[in-house]
Amino acid sequence: LAKTTQPISMDSYEGQEVNITCSHNNIATNDYITWYQQFPSQGPRFIIQGYKTKVTNEVASLFIPADRKSSTLSLPRVSLSDTAVYYCLVGVDTGTASKLTFGTGTRLQVTL
Amino acid sequence: GAVVSQHPSRVICKSGTSVKIECRSLDFQATTMFWYRQFPKQSLMLMATSNEGSKATYEQGVEKDKFLINHASLTLSTLTVTSAHPEDSSFYICSARVGTGGSGYTFGSGTRLTVV
């Protein structure tokens, strides 16, 4: 899996938009970009996945520039419940034994 | 959606004893499951890949004799921490594939192990 680099932590106030950028300079042609969210003392939860340009779902948006060497997870109008660690993963699906390798993640703290 | 049930959610054991953690796929069959360990304020570290009906594949540096993995059925994988020591205290999480791509994984709720 391509190595990823994210900020260790971010702080935000409730109601703001939060953008978390992940660098993945060595991304391969077939690699997808996936983001997971982990609340304290829980397993990670899938948020969003993309290959290029922009992907949006009910939770977040994912922006991927043309060179795909970075990606930005955008959380609109965060609330206290969005306080969590966000992981950016890059890799290709090679079958049933494909394993997810997590990087350091970004610890987002949302306050009033 | 696909759910992985992990038990117990937390356990405290004495040094030298063994602890078993169960991971069940509730509404799907999981040929492959993954076990992770997470220390406080750190990321998830993959320990091993559990394959139904065969031996688990351990990541480098993980002691297979200490962390016994059994995947006897398509819905159950277990991790047994043998002769536990305080340094084994951690958050253990299982995962299973439910689809393709990076989105195709579901995780258990984790087990907080404290060895005293």
Side-chain angles (χ1 to χ4, degrees):
Chain A
L1 291 175
K3 181 177 172 59
T4 59
T5 303
Q6 307 173 231
I8 295 296
S9 64
M10 294 182 68
D11 295 310
S12 177
Y13 291 109
E14 200 172 41
Q16 290 187 326
E17 178 184 77
V18 171
N19 296 307
I20 305 174
T21 297
C22 178
S23 297
H24 28 79
N25 292 319
N26 296 322
I27 189 169
T29 303
N30 295 332
D31 286 344
Y32 279 83
I33 300 160
T34 310
W35 286 79
Y36 276 78
Q37 174 192 54
Q38 184 184 25
F39 296 115
S41 297
Q42 292 187 30
R45 181 176 75 109
F46 169 79
I47 301 178
I48 198 166
Q49 176 176 287
Y51 182 80
K52 62 180 179 180
T53 62
K54 176 183 175 182
V55 179
T56 298
N57 62 22
E58 65 277 7
V59 177
S61 295
L62 179 60
F63 298 92
I64 305 169
D67 65 5
R68 304 199 329 121
K69 293 183 182 300
S70 67
S71 59
T72 299
L73 174 72
S74 181
L75 304 173
R77 297 180 298 281
V78 295
S79 65
L80 296 176
S81 62
D82 292 316
T83 294
V85 179
Y86 293 83
Y87 294 97
C88 164
L89 297 92
V90 175
V92 63
D93 186 348
T94 58
T96 56
S98 293
K99 51 192 180 184
L100 290 182
T101 301
F102 288 80
T104 57
T106 298
R107 191 172 298 272
L108 172 65
Q109 180 68 54
V110 180
T111 56
L112 292 173
Chain B
V3 175
V4 167
S5 177
Q6 185 172 345
H7 293 280
S9 59
R10 56 179 64 235
V11 58
I12 301 174
C13 72
K14 293 184 177 181
S15 289
T17 62
S18 296
V19 173
K20 179 184 286 187
I21 301 170
E22 291 189 349
C23 188
R24 294 181 183 273
S25 56
L26 295 186
D27 48 4
F28 67 99
Q29 293 182 330
T31 305
T32 303
M33 288 190 178
F34 306 90
W35 287 94
Y36 293 83
R37 179 169 54 181
Q38 185 175 33
F39 293 108
K41 300 289 178 69
Q42 294 188 24
S43 183
L44 287 80
M45 289 180 50
L46 181 65
M47 299 174 66
T49 301
S50 166
N51 304 297
E52 186 269 335
S54 65
K55 293 183 178 180
T57 303
Y58 290 83
E59 295 298 304
Q60 191 172 11
V62 177
E63 301 175 59
K64 61 181 179 181
D65 294 331
K66 180 170 185 60
F67 298 100
L68 301 180
I69 291 174
N70 184 282
H71 196 156
S73 78
L74 288 171
T75 59
L76 175 65
S77 176
T78 61
L79 167 67
T80 301
V81 183
T82 63
S83 187
H85 292 281
E87 56 265 31
D88 297 324
S89 297
S90 188
F91 191 57
Y92 293 87
I93 309 169
C94 64
S95 174
R97 279 192 62 106
V98 296
T100 59
S103 62
Y105 297 82
T106 186
F107 288 79
S109 55
T111 297
R112 175 77 58 194
L113 170 63
T114 303
V115 184
V116 297

